[in-house]
Amino acid sequence: MGKRYFCDYCDRSFQDNLHNRKKHLNGVQHLRAKRLWYDLFRDAAAILQEEQTKKPCRKFLQTGQCDFGSNCRFSHMTEQDLEKLSAQVQGEQRSKELRQEGADVPPGAIEDWLEKRAKRLSVAQSNSALPEKPAPFQYPPGWPPVQDLPPSLQAPPPGGWPVPPNLQWG
């Protein structure tokens, strides 16, 4: 059996040769899956602009579902969805503008935060006067029985593992 090609978009594999790969990459199923993947990362402003140019899907508005799904050329967004998306876009634009202007941090905000942090750390240190030693790892009770473990997973005996005579120094 030869090499296999795995398509991350379609989540399937097939024998890798020129004919099969071309046929798959130009197939409708692959192109839809690829478009859906890239749509996940689209900008909200681009989605809003595209949805506002589309007419509403009558079937989707009447029944709540459409046979064409994400391939429908009409919009499946309600007025409320479009308003939410518009508010999100405006919020993103405002925050972008503030970052570009180099918005000033309110005076004293950093000092207040540092002061609160110092108080929290001092309280935490005073509560733990004795440094706690981390507990050694223990298997849950009854699992697996220690005698059933392979030697590589068993804990070393007190004093360490015995050294074979041929590996000893001296």
Side-chain angles (χ1 to χ4, degrees):
M1 189 162 135
K3 292 183 178 181
R4 296 194 61 80
Y5 177 81
F6 182 79
C7 178
D8 289 319
Y9 300 116
C10 302
D11 196 26
R12 63 177 287 217
S13 65
F14 50 87
Q15 187 177 6
D16 190 19
N17 61 41
L18 184 62
H19 173 75
N20 288 349
R21 193 182 286 204
K22 275 186 178 181
K23 187 175 176 181
H24 174 76
L25 294 177
N26 293 322
V28 174
Q29 184 179 14
H30 173 78
L31 295 174
R32 283 182 185 164
K34 184 177 174 184
R35 191 178 83 214
L36 285 174
W37 173 256
Y38 281 106
D39 284 350
L40 291 174
F41 305 103
R42 281 195 350 198
D43 186 29
I47 295 171
L48 179 65
Q49 183 180 6
E50 181 181 322
E51 291 296 324
Q52 285 177 335
T53 59
K54 293 180 181 179
K55 293 181 181 178
C57 178
R58 282 188 280 149
K59 176 100 174 178
F60 187 79
L61 292 177
Q62 291 172 353
T63 63
Q65 53 186 346
C66 174
D67 297 334
F68 294 101
S70 61
N71 297 318
C72 185
R73 62 182 184 162
F74 299 105
S75 176
H76 290 175
M77 291 190 136
T78 63
E79 290 296 325
Q80 295 168 345
D81 294 337
L82 289 172
E83 289 172 7
K84 287 180 187 176
L85 192 58
S86 177
Q88 179 184 348
V89 169
Q90 289 173 357
E92 289 175 0
Q93 287 175 346
R94 274 190 237 117
S95 64
K96 187 177 179 181
E97 289 171 1
L98 288 175
R99 274 187 266 129
Q100 287 177 349
E101 292 173 3
D104 295 330
V105 177
I110 295 174
E111 289 80 12
D112 291 341
W113 181 83
L114 287 171
E115 186 177 320
K116 289 178 185 177
R117 180 176 178 264
K119 285 180 184 177
R120 265 197 332 266
L121 289 176
S122 66
V123 168
Q125 288 175 352
S126 65
N127 287 343
S128 62
L130 297 174
E132 292 186 26
K133 189 175 181 183
F137 173 78
Q138 294 180 348
Y139 285 103
W143 186 89
V146 176
Q147 59 272 23
D148 292 346
L149 288 174
S152 62
L153 296 178
Q154 291 180 4
W161 295 105
V163 179
N166 62 342
L167 297 178
Q168 291 180 354
W169 291 95

